[in-house]
Amino acid sequence: MALTGGGKAFVQDEEKQRLLLEEHTEKHFTASEVVRDIIIGVSDGLTVPFALAAGLSGANASSALVLTAGLAEVAAGAISMGLGGYLAAKSEADHYNRELQREQDEIDTVPDVEAAEIADILSQYGLGPEEYGPVVTSLRNNPKAWLEFMMKFELGLERPEPRRALVSAATIALSYVVGGLVPLLPYVFVLRAERAMAVSVAVTLAALLFFGFVKGRFTGDRPFLSAVQTTVVGALASAAAYGMARAVQTI
């Protein structure tokens, strides 16, 4: 079968197609959900304990108190963030399953309407009746593929991974812990809170720069701009917490 596209004829040759696919390596980034969870966990982990430590240091708390409060916040934050990630992924999976069942019911009860929807979808890609007709017939003869086609192209829904909720919860929680320990480490080794805060600021800002740069590389944003934006957000949060603590002291 020959199809025209881009001014060139495409001849269906399964062996040739297989060889072409084996020779070509796709460079698209496909782990977006995991990266999103890491970004959420690390960014919050770097920012929230950092702001807390700066605020307590501004209130002249000891390094031991800052460290204790910071670790408590990291533990509570990791649990809260992980639970939030679990519930979000679980809700997404539940929504997909409800829509899957609804779409299956429509295929069973009004198959002609659903077949017309296939034709309508394909026509939006520039295919005419003589071109999408065989596709519609083929999908009607393959109920599983028909259902998957409607979920993806009509509803825009991708089937979630079976363990997505647990993976999301663990990824966000662990990322939060990793990020949260960075601004607290100086308080382990430096007894004076003010000096520890200075070291914490330097270490955390460097970590924010590095994290923002890496985040930009993975997400397709400009790495240097991403690094600056991430660092500015963290710096503003800690400065606000420090200023509020100082203001409360003067009351």
Side-chain angles (χ1 to χ4, degrees):
M1 178 179 66
L3 301 175
T4 58
K8 296 182 179 180
F10 174 75
V11 180
Q12 185 174 357
D13 185 332
E14 293 184 359
E15 181 63 22
K16 183 178 179 180
Q17 290 179 39
R18 184 183 64 79
L19 292 175
L20 287 172
L21 292 174
E22 289 178 354
E23 293 172 358
H24 177 67
T25 302
E26 292 283 352
K27 296 182 179 180
H28 301 296
F29 184 69
T30 57
S32 57
E33 291 182 337
V34 174
V35 170
R36 181 194 65 186
D37 291 341
I38 294 175
I39 290 173
I40 292 172
V42 174
S43 59
D44 278 16
L46 282 170
T47 304
V48 178
F50 182 33
L52 174 64
L56 290 175
S57 298
N60 292 327
S62 64
S63 287
L65 178 58
V66 173
L67 182 61
T68 302
L71 290 175
E73 195 287 323
V74 169
I79 295 172
S80 176
M81 295 287 291
L83 181 60
Y86 176 86
L87 292 176
K90 185 69 167 55
S91 297
E92 182 180 340
D94 291 342
H95 172 66
Y96 180 90
N97 290 329
R98 285 194 301 270
E99 292 302 321
L100 183 71
Q101 185 58 54
R102 183 178 292 114
E103 192 64 34
Q104 182 64 70
D105 293 341
E106 291 177 353
I107 289 174
D108 294 337
T109 56
V110 285
D112 291 338
V113 174
E114 294 298 298
E117 290 178 351
I118 298 176
D120 180 63
I121 292 169
L122 295 176
S123 68
Q124 295 175 21
Y125 290 89
L127 277 68
E130 70 282 356
E131 294 167 323
Y132 64 63
V135 178
V136 175
T137 301
S138 179
L139 286 174
R140 294 193 69 163
N141 293 330
N142 188 340
K144 183 178 179 181
W146 187 359
L147 180 60
E148 291 179 356
F149 179 92
M150 300 305 291
M151 292 297 294
K152 181 177 293 186
F153 291 97
E154 182 192 18
L155 302 179
L157 297 176
E158 295 283 350
R159 183 184 297 274
E161 295 292 330
R163 298 176 60 84
R164 170 65 189 146
L166 291 176
V167 171
S168 178
T171 303
I172 293 177
L174 290 175
S175 299
Y176 189 93
V177 171
V178 171
L181 291 178
V182 172
L184 298 179
L185 284 177
Y187 293 91
V188 176
F189 304 103
V190 182
L191 296 180
R192 290 184 56 189
E194 290 185 357
R195 185 174 297 176
M197 186 188 72
V199 177
S200 177
V201 168
V203 170
T204 306
L205 290 180
L208 285 168
L209 276 170
F210 176 76
F211 172 68
F213 183 87
V214 173
K215 180 182 70 172
R217 290 292 299 272
F218 275 107
T219 58
D221 295 331
R222 287 179 289 179
F224 289 104
L225 179 60
S226 176
V228 172
Q229 290 176 337
T230 304
T231 305
V232 168
V233 171
L236 289 176
S238 61
Y242 183 81
M244 290 176 62
R246 281 296 191 183
V248 169
Q249 270 193 315
T250 61
I251 298 177

